[in-house]
Amino acid sequence: MASEVSVQEVADAMYKMIKDAQGMKKFKAGDLTKAMRDVYGDAADRKTCKAAIKELIDSGRCVYTYFGGSFIEIPHDEGAANK
Amino acid sequence: MANLPNTPKLDELTKGPWPSFVSEIKRAAERSDMCKDLLGLLERSYNEKIGHWKHGGIVGVMGYGGGVIGRYTDLPEEFPNISHFHTLRINQPAGWFYTSEALRTLADIWEKHGSGLTNMHGSTGDIIFLGTRTEELEPTFADLTAAGFDLGGSGSDMRTPSACCGKARCEWACYDTMKACYDTTMRYQDELHRPMFPYKWKFKFAGCPNDCVASIARADISVIGTWRDDIKIDQAEVKNYADAGLDIFDDVVLNCPGKCMKWDGNTLEIDNDYCRHCMHCINVMPKALAPGDKRGATVLIGAKAPIIEGALLSSVVIPFIDIDEEYEEFCDIIERMQDIWSEEGKNRERVGEFIQRVGMGNFFEAAEIDLIPEMVTHPRENPYIFFEDYYEEGDEEEEEE
Ligand code: SF4
Ligand code: SF4
């Protein structure tokens, strides 16, 4: 039986992954989910990962961005924006 | 009269009896500085033959990953009123039915927060609000939700499902398109607002094979109404069409793709086993012919317009389902297919392209969908599925002989 992992723990691990790669690589929801499965195995099932992403977005720690596809990133200034 | 920019090129597009987007922007420019600058920028683009828009990738409303498309002009000093010009997609009601009060509410919200320009409707089916500033996004969203509206999809999420008017207004509807569209929109709210797929995923619901929402060419999941019994014929009405001058042989029988109709001048016969359910005869003689009584839908997968790769038409997954009664079964199959694509699809790979890459047989096998003879590219032509079990059994028998 898979060991338990909380939504918050998965959200924190996702956040670290996003932060560590900031400026170098962007992750989609699917990338984060697969990475969590590698770390936590079946305990980080799709439902838990979905809830973790929701937590990251709803808390404002991360935002969805669109650059030819939708990614999850730490909020940053819009490169194209006019002040 | 507002002081509008000089736009000789755009003015060409106001000539003639047909509606003109330039005339509409000019009307709106009487009250909106955004529209005034938009006219100036457009004229400049027409002169220089280049666009002056930059794509944004971050703007949105809290919690949502879709529904807002960021736009900025690259000439903000010259056209300061459209230095931000973001688009909002608003989830349209199923079948695009509005009360005039709802339309006025939408227009008021948009004149308060944006340019006032709308596009009714975008190709996804959404109500499109064209042009606002970043700081107006949340207030617009708040007013929209207070009025009972919500944003639609954009990016790598489930796009706003759309449906033809179906049973609300059309006698050909073989299932309740508006209900299926509404139920799908509500069931998949997470998928609509929180991009979680490799790329976009569209549902379109058409009540009959006329496919007024062009689902077969545009939707990842096309749900097209059909019937499984015989076309209903009212011979007296057929005769009335003939008496009124319709050339039934030339205009109906010869155009039947199934070559399954006979007309002897008095009686119309249809060999329904060979009918392709194309709707041609029914469209030509609506008073005389109608879809049968055993109505439901065919579900297809994998259409897309040419963006990254070429255009694809969709392929049959479920030849017939009574979707009004079997909606849960429909969702179960959809979710299994979605899971495979979510897991294995590449970034920006539509499910149709994914299926082309891995093979239809493998895709269906992974999604645990039984292969059946109806899943062929063209009726009675090459099946793209290799029936391994069938051949293995046959091989064994041959060996025994
Ligand atoms: S697709 Fe068929 S049912 Fe729907 S509006 Fe068109 S003709 Fe009517
Ligand atoms: S629906 Fe199309 S294929 Fe069927 S009988 Fe009519 S014209 Fe022929």
Side-chain angles (χ1 to χ4, degrees), chain B residues 358-379:
Chain B
V358 301
M360 183 67 97
N362 293 332
F363 175 74
F364 281 153
E365 196 178 329
E368 296 175 14
I369 293 169
D370 290 337
L371 304 178
I372 46 174
E374 284 91 337
M375 296 170 176
V376 295
T377 310
H378 302 286

Side-chain angles (χ1 to χ4, degrees), chain B residues 164-166 170-174 177 206-213 279 283:
Chain B
C164 76
C165 59
C170 183
E171 62 201 293
W172 304 146
C174 294
T177 52
C208 80
N210 279 335
D211 196 8
C212 293
V213 284
M279 293 292 290
N283 290 334

Side-chain angles (χ1 to χ4, degrees), chain B residues 227 231 256-258 260-261 270 275-281:
Chain B
W227 63 95
I231 290 178
C256 166
C260 59
M261 307 185 89
I270 298 175
C275 170
R276 306 277 169 96
H277 294 205
C278 76
M279 293 292 290
H280 170 68
C281 58

Side-chain angles (χ1 to χ4, degrees), chain A residues 60-76:
Chain A
R61 292 166 86 194
C62 289
V63 288
Y64 287 110
T65 62
Y66 182 82
F67 295 97
S70 298
F71 297 92
I72 295 166
E73 295 186 71
I74 291 168
H76 58 87

